[in-house]
Coordinates of all heavy atoms in Angstrom, one line a residue:
T1 N 114.3 92.7 112.7 CA 113.0 92.5 113.2 C 112.2 93.7 113.4 O 111.0 93.8 113.1 CB 113.1 91.7 114.6 OG1 113.9 90.5 114.4 CG2 111.8 91.3 115.1
L2 N 112.8 94.8 113.9 CA 112.1 96.0 114.1 C 111.6 96.6 112.8 O 110.5 97.1 112.6 CB 113.1 97.1 114.8 CG 112.4 98.5 114.9 CD1 111.3 98.5 115.9 CD2 113.6 99.4 115.5
Y3 N 112.4 96.5 111.8 CA 112.2 97.0 110.5 C 110.9 96.2 109.8 O 110.0 96.6 109.2 CB 113.3 96.9 109.5 CG 113.0 97.5 108.1 CD1 113.0 99.0 108.0 CD2 112.8 96.7 107.0 CE1 112.6 99.5 106.7 CE2 112.4 97.3 105.7 CZ 112.4 98.7 105.6 OH 112.1 99.2 104.4
E4 N 111.1 94.8 110.0 CA 110.1 93.9 109.5 C 108.7 94.2 110.1 O 107.7 94.3 109.4 CB 110.3 92.4 109.8 CG 109.5 91.5 109.2 CD 109.8 90.0 109.6 OE1 110.5 89.8 110.3 OE2 109.1 89.2 108.9
G5 N 108.7 94.5 111.5 CA 107.4 94.9 112.1 C 106.8 96.2 111.7 O 105.7 96.4 111.4
M6 N 107.8 97.2 111.3 CA 107.3 98.4 110.8 C 106.7 98.2 109.6 O 105.6 98.9 109.2 CB 108.6 99.3 110.7 CG 108.2 100.8 110.3 SD 108.0 101.0 108.5 CE 109.6 101.0 107.9
V7 N 107.1 97.3 108.7 CA 106.7 97.2 107.3 C 105.2 96.5 107.5 O 104.4 96.9 106.7 CB 107.6 96.2 106.4 CG1 106.8 95.8 105.2 CG2 108.8 96.9 106.2
V8 N 105.1 95.6 108.4 CA 103.8 95.0 108.6 C 102.8 96.1 109.0 O 101.6 96.1 108.5 CB 103.7 93.9 109.7 CG1 102.4 93.5 110.1 CG2 104.6 92.8 109.3
Q9 N 103.2 97.0 109.9 CA 102.2 98.0 110.4 C 101.9 98.9 109.1 O 100.8 99.4 109.0 CB 102.8 98.7 111.6 CG 102.9 98.0 112.7 CD 101.5 97.8 113.4 OE1 100.6 97.8 112.8 NE2 101.5 97.7 114.9
L10 N 103.0 99.2 108.3 CA 102.6 100.1 107.2 C 101.6 99.4 106.3 O 100.8 100.2 105.8 CB 104.0 100.3 106.5 CG 103.9 101.3 105.1 CD1 105.2 102.2 105.0 CD2 103.7 100.5 103.9
V11 N 101.8 98.1 106.0 CA 100.8 97.4 105.0 C 99.4 97.5 105.7 O 98.5 97.8 105.0 CB 101.3 96.1 104.8 CG1 100.3 95.3 103.9 CG2 102.7 96.1 104.0
R12 N 99.4 97.3 106.9 CA 98.0 97.4 107.8 C 97.5 98.9 107.5 O 96.3 99.0 107.3 CB 98.2 97.2 109.1 CG 97.0 97.2 109.9 CD 97.2 97.0 111.3 NE 96.0 96.9 112.1 CZ 96.0 96.7 113.4 NH1 97.1 96.7 114.1 NH2 94.7 96.4 114.0
D13 N 98.3 99.8 107.6 CA 97.9 101.2 107.6 C 97.3 101.6 106.1 O 96.4 102.3 106.0 CB 99.1 102.2 107.8 CG 98.7 103.6 108.0 OD1 97.4 103.9 108.1 OD2 99.7 104.4 108.2
V14 N 98.0 101.0 105.0 CA 97.5 101.3 103.8 C 96.4 100.5 103.2 O 96.1 100.5 102.0 CB 98.7 101.3 102.7 CG1 99.8 102.3 103.2 CG2 99.3 100.0 102.5
Q15 N 95.9 99.5 104.0 CA 94.6 98.8 103.5 C 93.5 99.5 103.1 O 92.8 99.1 102.2 CB 94.3 97.8 104.7 CG 95.1 96.7 105.0 CD 95.6 95.8 103.8 OE1 94.8 95.1 103.2 NE2 96.9 95.9 103.3
D16 N 93.4 100.8 103.5 CA 92.2 101.7 103.0 C 92.7 102.5 101.9 O 91.9 103.5 101.6 CB 91.7 102.5 104.2 CG 92.8 103.4 104.7 OD1 94.0 103.4 104.2 OD2 92.5 104.3 105.7
G17 N 93.9 102.3 101.4 CA 94.4 103.1 100.2 C 95.3 104.2 100.5 O 95.7 104.9 99.5
R18 N 95.4 104.5 101.7 CA 96.3 105.6 102.1 C 97.1 105.3 103.4 O 96.6 104.5 104.3 CB 95.5 107.0 102.3 CG 94.6 107.0 103.5 CD 93.9 108.4 103.6 NE 93.1 108.4 104.9 CZ 92.5 109.5 105.3 NH1 92.5 110.5 104.6 NH2 91.9 109.3 106.4
R19 N 98.2 106.0 103.6 CA 99.0 105.9 104.8 C 98.7 107.1 105.7 O 98.7 108.2 105.4 CB 100.4 105.8 104.5 CG 101.4 105.7 105.7 CD 102.8 105.4 105.4 NE 103.3 106.5 104.4 CZ 103.8 107.7 104.7 NH1 103.8 108.0 106.0 NH2 104.1 108.5 103.8
D20 N 98.3 106.8 107.0 CA 98.0 107.8 107.9 C 99.1 108.1 109.0 O 99.0 109.0 109.6 CB 96.7 107.3 108.6 CG 95.5 107.2 107.7 OD1 95.2 108.1 107.0 OD2 94.9 106.2 107.9
N21 N 100.0 107.1 109.2 CA 101.0 107.3 110.2 C 102.4 107.6 109.6 O 102.6 107.2 108.5 CB 101.0 105.9 111.0 CG 99.9 105.6 111.7 OD1 99.4 106.4 112.6 ND2 99.2 104.4 111.5
T22 N 103.1 108.3 110.4 CA 104.5 108.7 110.1 C 105.5 107.4 110.2 O 105.1 106.4 110.9 CB 105.0 109.8 110.8 OG1 105.1 109.5 112.2 CG2 104.0 111.0 110.8
A23 N 106.6 107.5 109.7 CA 107.6 106.4 109.9 C 107.8 106.3 111.4 O 107.9 105.1 111.9 CB 108.9 106.6 109.2
G24 N 108.0 107.4 112.2 CA 108.3 107.2 113.6 C 107.1 106.5 114.3 O 107.2 105.7 115.2
E25 N 105.9 106.8 113.9 CA 104.7 106.2 114.5 C 104.7 104.7 114.3 O 104.3 103.9 114.9 CB 103.4 107.0 114.1 CG 103.2 108.2 114.6 CD 102.3 109.1 114.1 OE1 101.8 108.8 112.9 OE2 101.6 110.0 114.6
L26 N 105.0 104.4 112.9 CA 105.0 103.0 112.5 C 106.1 102.1 113.4 O 105.8 101.1 113.8 CB 105.2 102.8 111.0 CG 104.2 103.4 110.2 CD1 104.7 103.5 108.8 CD2 102.9 102.5 110.2

């Protein structure tokens, strides 16, 4: 569940075309 939530946050982060957060922050 933690990993799934991290992936959701990553996809949210890259909606503008780039990732701004580190894995730890996600």
Side-chain angles (χ1 to χ4, degrees):
T1 304
L2 180 63
Y3 185 79
E4 182 179 19
M6 186 277 289
V7 173
V8 175
Q9 292 287 30
L10 183 146
V11 174
R12 179 186 194 179
D13 192 6
V14 301
Q15 289 302 294
D16 61 356
R18 69 175 187 177
R19 177 172 54 83
D20 300 306
N21 295 302
T22 65
E25 289 169 338
L26 291 171

